Amino acid sequence: MGEGEVGEIVIRGENVMAGYHRRPRATAEAIRDGWFHTGDLARVDEDGYYFIVDRAKDMIIRGGYNIYPREVEEVLYKHPAVAEAAVVGIPDPWLGEEIAAVVVLKPEGQATAEEIRDHVKAQVAAYKYPRIVELTDALPKGSTGKILKRDIVITPTDS
């Protein structure tokens, strides 16, 4: 992986796990040729520092372009009306995946889905902004409060 490029972090050593308990298939997927594939995507800067970009399983591939949901979410959180946001990929027959954002507004927040979409569109590359924006009262969360993207359901539109 070259400087500034994004790649998966893989590690090995005596302190790395031997495998998942009673899950040989998961172990075989994660540990290949002695290397543990973390699923974390990162880039390295000119000083050798690593920056986590996103999780490999969350990456959206839209028309051959890689979109990291975290990057889009960071822009969504800059909108003054946004309390919470999650960006996911949904199947698209022409592009492979389409970008969708599910947003919870702050109690005092006032914004339409179109305003949220335009906010992101103005700050990211043309292929990265969410074509679908849904406003909701709450996002699904686990016991630790982490947003569970796998439980997000998007209502497809014909637009």
Side-chain angles (χ1 to χ4, degrees):
M1 177 169 82
E3 181 182 308
E5 293 178 33
V6 175
E8 182 179 15
I9 294 177
V10 294
I11 56 176
R12 73 174 170 188
E14 295 299 319
N15 59 337
V16 177
M17 71 170 189
Y20 292 104
H21 182 65
R22 296 185 181 165
R23 295 177 55 205
R25 185 174 292 158
T27 298
E29 289 174 11
I31 301 175
R32 299 189 298 272
D33 296 325
W35 290 91
F36 174 59
H37 292 251
T38 67
D40 292 318
L41 298 175
R43 66 176 173 78
V44 63
D45 71 7
E46 65 276 357
D47 296 320
Y49 290 99
Y50 287 80
F51 296 86
I52 302 292
V53 175
D54 217 324
R55 296 280 300 157
K57 66 181 178 183
D58 291 341
M59 185 175 66
I60 300 166
I61 302 175
R62 180 183 187 273
Y65 290 100
N66 294 344
I67 294 101
Y68 304 103
R70 182 172 157 187
E71 178 185 358
V72 179
E73 289 164 356
E74 287 174 1
V75 175
L76 285 164
Y77 278 109
K78 290 179 183 176
H79 190 286
V82 173
E84 294 182 312
V87 172
V88 295
I90 60 169
D92 182 89
W94 296 280
L95 298 168
E97 288 184 288
E98 187 54 89
I99 306 162
V102 183
V103 175
V104 176
L105 297 178
K106 294 176 182 174
E108 69 283 358
Q110 295 286 322
T112 66
E114 185 175 278
E115 289 169 344
I116 300 289
R117 181 178 36 254
D118 291 345
H119 166 78
V120 178
K121 186 177 180 179
Q123 298 182 58
V124 299
Y127 64 91
K128 292 182 180 182
Y129 76 91
R131 281 15 180 222
I132 299 165
V133 176
E134 288 189 5
L135 301 178
T136 188
D137 293 331
L139 291 168
K141 295 181 183 155
S143 59
T144 61
K146 181 180 177 184
I147 295 170
L148 299 176
K149 290 185 178 186
R150 67 179 179 267
D151 292 344
I152 292 175
V153 178
I154 303 293
T155 308
T157 61
D158 294 331
S159 55

